[in-house]
Amino acid sequence: MRHGRLALASAVGTTALALGALVMAPAAGAVEPQEASIGFDCGSFGSGTAALKATQNGTAATIEVSTAAIKAPLDVGAGAVASTLTLTRNGSGTTTFTGNANPAIPAGSPVSTGPLNGTVASGDSLAASSLKIVVFGITVNCAATSAQTPGPFVF
């Protein structure tokens, strides 16, 4: 009987510790808005709107970019696009999100890239200002032509 009560007390204590750890674990941050759009001018490569999708997990954040401003001239394999998205941080400084992640892109299709990785702090307000894409050794520099809508990402 004594062993049964000891086992029950131990199980209850372990459960309480596990629940306490779960409650104390940091939650994934919520970025608002999660999706935004912005106009880009990419010089002789074209211009158009880009869709941005942001996610956050603590201080780590990612942004995916899909833009009709640049069309793939040839089939582009997955992971072949090196990208740097520069964003204005809190209205004055800048930060960059970088990566080589992209899905396979058929010739003539809009370029998609990401997730691009960056670091954020609680309360950061980030708005895209430029995008640099390198495909097959060709660098495409895009400058924002409009404000990010519906507004900056707030982490």
Side-chain angles (χ1 to χ4, degrees):
M1 200 61 160
R2 197 173 234 206
H3 293 293
R5 279 187 273 188
L6 182 58
L8 179 61
S10 178
V12 169
T14 302
T15 302
L17 283 173
L19 287 174
L22 184 61
V23 168
M24 298 301 285
V31 57
E32 287 295 328
Q34 293 178 342
E35 296 183 15
S37 62
I38 190 165
F40 276 121
D41 178 4
C42 304
S44 61
F45 294 95
S47 62
T49 304
L52 309 173
K53 184 177 180 181
T55 59
Q56 177 186 7
N57 186 3
T59 61
T62 62
I63 298 177
E64 293 181 31
V65 181
S66 178
T67 180
I70 306 169
K71 304 268 188 198
L74 306 167
D75 289 343
V76 177
V81 177
S83 304
T84 302
L85 179 66
T86 301
L87 303 105
T88 302
R89 181 186 297 236
N90 302 325
S92 60
T94 61
T95 190
T96 58
F97 280 59
T98 60
N100 288 64
N102 65 278
I105 306 168
S109 297
V111 172
S112 294
T113 186
L116 306 178
N117 301 305
T119 303
V120 295
S122 181
D124 273 355
S125 176
L126 304 180
S129 58
S130 67
L131 175 65
K132 176 182 168 184
I133 295 178
V134 180
V135 183
F136 302 128
I138 299 169
T139 301
V140 179
N141 290 303
C142 304
T145 58
S146 65
Q148 187 172 304
T149 355
F153 294 117
V154 179
F155 293 87

